[in-house]
Amino acid sequence: MLEVDKVFAGSIPENYDRHMVPLIFEAYAAETARRVASFSPLAVLETAAGTGAVTRALAPKLSADATYTVTDLNQPMLDYAASRQGLDSRITWLQADALKLPFEDATFDLVCCQFGAMFFPDRPAAYREAKRVLKPGGHFLFSVWDRIEENIFADDVTNALARIFSHDPPRFLARTPHGYHDKDLIRSDLAAAGFCDVAIDTRAEQSRASSPRVPAVAYCQGTLLRNEIEARGAGSLASATDYAEAAIAERHGRGAVAAKIQAHIIVAVA
């Protein structure tokens, strides 16, 4: 992962929430919320919360006396998440680095993180921090995307951009969001951090959109792929988005489109 793969700013938070969340995140957010609630935690920490897809799904499922601390490294993402959430005295919003959590040991019953671990520059260190702030026997629940070939629209966009930028293909999607899918490596990283009883569930869903334009805009303009495209020249973003749209339409049709997405959902015990 490159350093620029962590900077969600400018118009990216709004575009991310408007396009990416309904396209690929909402189904997994609902599943994450269901699984978290099944443990009946009273003190929950969410790291790398992004624009709050899990927060919006989980808050209604927590008990009235629960506390819910929602964090992200990127203040613009966190601000956008808070703006989308109704007033809730149980929720505390805090900018925080998952590798240096500002909490005492054994503070939380459960730590959750949806599609954030791929962005951690030192995953075992982040996992050690999660374990440190968990109470003994507490749960760490997180998800990561499977390999890009199992996530069809992302693969379509990546392949399309490789054709128009053949001298320097933008590889953000393959490199970072879909770059941490090896289950043996995930288990090894968690073991290095001291976790036990690791369960990994690979879960497929369908990504649906009203037209090929939606996933093209979502990936090209609502993720950090945008920065890579724009770095390749003035006007690149519009033409790249159009080209990605045409590639998706050629493969999936010009009306409503649907394609497979796949992720690993991991639960580990502190």
Side-chain angles (χ1 to χ4, degrees), residues 7 54 79 85 88 103 109 137 193 210 213:
V7 184
V54 169
D79 290 343
Q85 188 77 34
D88 190 329
F103 308 111
D109 300 309
S210 58
R213 185 71 180 174

Side-chain angles (χ1 to χ4, degrees), residues 134-183:
L134 277 169
K135 298 173 184 177
H139 294 89
F140 181 32
L141 191 157
F142 68 102
S143 55
V144 297
W145 292 113
D146 202 350
R147 59 201 292 265
I148 196 167
E149 292 82 2
E150 301 291 350
N151 291 270
I152 305 304
F153 288 146
D155 199 36
D156 290 342
V157 170
T158 298
N159 291 335
L161 297 184
R163 292 193 291 273
I164 60 173
F165 299 110
S166 58
H167 62 291
D168 186 18
R171 295 290 298 169
F172 167 73
L173 294 177
R175 180 179 64 247
T176 299
H178 298 281
Y180 185 57
H181 53 77
D182 185 308
K183 291 188 281 188

Side-chain angles (χ1 to χ4, degrees), residues 35-87:
R35 294 185 186 219
V36 169
S38 73
F39 293 112
S40 301
L42 290 178
V44 177
L45 169 65
E46 183 179 355
T47 61
T51 57
V54 169
T55 314
R56 293 191 291 273
L58 177 55
K61 295 182 179 297
L62 296 176
S63 65
D65 57 344
T67 62
Y68 188 4
T69 304
V70 182
T71 69
D72 195 272
L73 179 64
N74 292 275
Q75 189 66 49
M77 297 287 271
L78 197 65
D79 290 343
Y80 193 90
S83 76
R84 290 288 316 276
Q85 188 77 34
L87 291 177

Side-chain angles (χ1 to χ4, degrees), residues 104-123:
E104 297 293 328
D105 295 357
T107 298
F108 299 99
D109 300 309
L110 186 144
V111 175
C112 66
C113 179
Q114 175 167 277
F115 302 122
M118 309 90 67
F119 294 88
F120 297 158
D122 184 340
R123 296 182 190 99

